[in-house]
Amino acid sequence: MKSFPKCAIVILTWNGRKFLEQFLPSVLLTTYSNHETIVVDNNSDDDSVDFLKTHYPNIRIIQNPENWGFAKGYNEALKQVSADYYVLLNSDVDVTANWLEPMVELLEGDPSIAACQPKVLSYHNKNSFEYAGAAGGWIDKYGYPFCKGRVFEICEDDYGQYNQSEPIFWATGASLFIRSSVFHEQKGLDEYFFAHQEEIDLCWRIQLAGGKIYSCPSSVVYHVGAGTLKRNNSKKTFLNFRNNLIMLAKNWPSKKIWAIPVRVSLDAMAAWRGLLNGDAGYFLAIVKAQFAFLNWLLFHQKKSLFPNSRNGQLNGVLQKNLVWQFFIKKKKTFSKIVNKT
């Protein structure tokens, strides 16, 4: 690279002292020369801030006055950060030393690329993709997110099958590399979401505005996953289902709104499947999410961020029903579902 634009690695944490202690050292070994590491604390109840002040006095700390969640937590913090690129990094991510260089090179080489993500592997099984992002996010015709290397709960082993850098639909919020100018042009993350799927929504709005989202598998990180809310947590289920419906209603064109009732029906089927399998919490979380979506639709749309343009081309969209492909046709890998093999 002829120049070295500034990158701000911004780690949002809430009661994450153990992850900071475990993974911050790897971040500090980052070899890219022009970067700054910043920790944003979402009003933790533990001793995260004291730990940082004692052991890492040179790291900049931004303290939010309350737990604003992922979306507002980052939005407010990044108003105070000056850099060419932001890296939104989860506190439970172990990075490789040269992880930033490939992503900087990718975006510096193509101004049309607004954001990208590294290859995300499992910290506990380093030969396997990790749930949150894997090798890059896609979405199906009914709005179900999935990844190159992860479909629903099935994570593939990594043997280099997704090592090509290419357009994707969404980049994971666990390690999101994004132009700061684009982040602010889009007014950041939708704060109504609080947490979960807000990065997918942001990537969707970016694409509608003409930007591209890419995978960058030559950059590799290892993610623990579910560090704040466990994957089967009822609150997490509620946020994922509610936010997904809100995202579809905001970003789908009017001619596609017919698909909302279909998606609601598919979610209801998932709820009943959970109940029949003995998971009443899962059932109730989805029911509450659907009523919460209706509440947003009737009373709270003005609190959300809508696309400021709809002229861009969408990449990483599967024009099939992912549920049918996975559960009925028994296709369990990304390549089989998108017919790349």
Side-chain angles (χ1 to χ4, degrees), residues 72 87 141 151 164 167 190 218 220 223 230 307 341:
K72 188 174 181 179
V87 191
K141 66 183 292 185
V151 183
Q164 63 278 13
D190 191 327
S218 53
V220 180
H223 186 215
K230 300 303 179 185
T341 59

Side-chain angles (χ1 to χ4, degrees), residues 101-255:
E101 284 90 342
M103 295 191 288
V104 174
E105 290 178 7
L106 177 64
L107 269 67
E108 285 291 288
D110 188 344
S112 70
I113 302 176
C116 72
Q117 70 155 77
K119 180 193 292 187
V120 184
L121 299 177
S122 169
Y123 177 75
H124 295 296
N125 181 6
K126 292 182 169 56
N127 294 319
S128 173
F129 288 104
E130 208 281 316
Y131 182 94
W138 276 50
I139 201 167
D140 87 330
K141 66 183 292 185
Y142 293 114
Y144 283 103
F146 64 112
C147 305
K148 297 163 63 178
R150 192 274 297 170
V151 183
F152 291 113
E153 299 294 326
I154 303 297
C155 294
E156 299 177 42
D157 287 338
D158 171 34
Y159 51 89
Q161 69 271 42
Y162 306 122
N163 274 356
Q164 63 278 13
S165 179
E166 61 184 7
I168 54 177
F169 190 90
W170 56 275
T172 176
S175 185
L176 173 62
F177 187 90
I178 185 169
R179 297 182 191 274
S180 60
S181 58
V182 171
F183 185 89
H184 293 298
E185 284 167 7
Q186 291 297 323
K187 299 182 181 178
L189 302 159
D190 191 327
E191 295 176 8
Y192 194 87
F193 282 38
F194 185 78
H196 299 297
Q197 304 217 17
E198 62 278 271
E199 78 272 36
I200 306 178
D201 173 70
L202 174 60
C203 290
W204 198 335
R205 288 185 279 120
I206 288 171
Q207 289 189 90
L208 290 175
K212 297 176 183 176
I213 314 297
Y214 257 68
S215 62
C216 185
S218 53
S219 172
V220 180
V221 302
Y222 300 92
H223 186 215
V224 173
T228 301
L229 291 176
K230 300 303 179 185
R231 197 157 292 134
N232 60 354
N233 180 281
S234 292
K235 182 177 181 181
K236 188 167 189 171
T237 300
F238 167 81
L239 290 170
N240 270 314
F241 278 85
R242 183 201 66 171
N243 292 351
N244 188 267
L245 290 171
I246 292 173
M247 177 176 67
L248 301 182
K250 290 196 310 167
N251 296 304
W252 267 343
S254 56
K255 64 181 181 180

Side-chain angles (χ1 to χ4, degrees), residues 220-331:
V220 180
V221 302
Y222 300 92
H223 186 215
V224 173
T228 301
L229 291 176
K230 300 303 179 185
R231 197 157 292 134
N232 60 354
N233 180 281
S234 292
K235 182 177 181 181
K236 188 167 189 171
T237 300
F238 167 81
L239 290 170
N240 270 314
F241 278 85
R242 183 201 66 171
N243 292 351
N244 188 267
L245 290 171
I246 292 173
M247 177 176 67
L248 301 182
K250 290 196 310 167
N251 296 304
W252 267 343
S254 56
K255 64 181 181 180
K256 187 71 184 288
I257 294 301
W258 62 267
I260 292 283
V262 177
R263 177 55 195 270
V264 170
S265 298
L266 290 170
D267 288 354
M269 290 171 61
W272 281 104
R273 180 171 176 265
L275 184 63
L276 292 173
N277 288 333
D279 193 344
Y282 185 78
F283 173 84
L284 289 174
I286 296 176
V287 171
K288 289 178 181 178
Q290 294 193 337
F291 278 105
F293 166 64
L294 180 62
N295 184 52
W296 173 88
L297 199 63
L298 295 175
F299 305 113
H300 298 297
Q301 291 192 45
K302 291 183 179 180
K303 295 181 179 179
S304 279
L305 294 173
F306 282 75
N308 52 30
S309 173
R310 294 184 182 272
N311 298 319
Q313 177 182 347
L314 299 177
N315 292 297
V317 180
L318 176 71
Q319 297 300 335
K320 302 176 184 178
N321 184 336
L322 183 65
V323 172
W324 181 266
Q325 295 293 317
F326 185 86
F327 290 104
I328 305 302
K329 301 189 77 173
K330 305 298 182 182
K331 295 182 179 181

